[in-house]
Amino acid sequence: MSRVPSLSSPFLLGFDEIERVLDRVAKGADGYPPYNIERLPREDNNPERLRITLAVAGFTRDQLDVSVEESQLVIRGRQQDDKTRQYLHRGIAARQFQRTFVLADGMEVMGADLKHGLLSVDLVRPQPERVVRSIAINDLE
């Protein structure tokens, strides 16, 4: 069965790359770690922004990596097993993860904080500019 592209409208031209990115992100999402995305209002000197908060209990700052790669926010966590410990029961596994968020053009990462097992990444939402450009019509006669 073939998949009908979601951006197949004849009025949406040139969005093939966006559709490929959406497909890649959807395939890579396994649900771990859980996260929230919230909109924070403008306050003091801070503009309106978005905050992504991931539950990363058990990870230290050194085991986490936040980067922007090709218009995608990539958050990675790497834990290694402590071979010196002998567990009678192990319900908390050392695991690795990679969580990817597609960023719109102009989105900027303000910074990241780790507090009480929660990793928060703040993003600045760009102010959209209204661009109107007149196109000249050539007379071919």
Side-chain angles (χ1 to χ4, degrees):
M1 182 172 157
S2 64
R3 185 178 149 299
V4 177
S6 58
L7 300 174
S8 63
S9 168
F11 300 111
L12 299 173
L13 302 175
F15 288 91
D16 302 344
E17 182 61 27
I18 293 174
E19 192 161 12
R20 279 191 290 275
V21 168
L22 290 173
D23 285 343
R24 186 176 27 183
V25 169
K27 289 177 186 173
D30 70 349
Y32 180 80
Y35 65 92
N36 292 333
I37 301 175
E38 59 186 309
R39 183 186 320 264
L40 301 176
R42 182 184 318 262
E43 60 184 30
D44 299 329
N45 294 332
N46 292 326
E48 180 181 82
R49 59 200 187 281
L50 300 177
R51 176 171 289 159
I52 300 172
T53 304
L54 290 89
V56 293
F59 286 86
T60 65
R61 185 181 339 153
D62 296 333
Q63 296 170 329
L64 296 167
D65 178 62
V66 179
S67 61
V68 176
E69 303 171 10
E70 299 179 11
S71 299
Q72 296 181 20
L73 173 66
V74 180
I75 303 170
R76 292 181 181 93
R78 294 180 185 89
Q79 286 181 326
Q80 304 220 343
D81 282 331
D82 185 355
K83 304 293 184 190
T84 63
R85 299 175 98 173
Q86 182 180 9
Y87 294 96
L88 300 177
H89 170 76
R90 182 149 187 201
I92 303 171
R95 50 188 303 194
Q96 299 183 18
F97 72 86
Q98 177 174 312
R99 177 67 78 176
T100 304
F101 300 90
V102 178
L103 301 177
D105 287 341
M107 290 291 285
E108 295 180 15
V109 177
M110 291 178 61
D113 298 307
L114 180 62
K115 184 176 181 182
H116 302 301
L118 297 174
L119 175 66
S120 297
V121 181
D122 285 357
L123 306 164
V124 175
R125 177 180 283 272
Q127 296 300 319
E129 294 180 19
R130 184 177 168 111
V131 177
V132 178
R133 186 172 64 116
S134 182
I135 307 298
I137 301 173
N138 297 322
D139 190 5
L140 298 177
E141 293 179 26

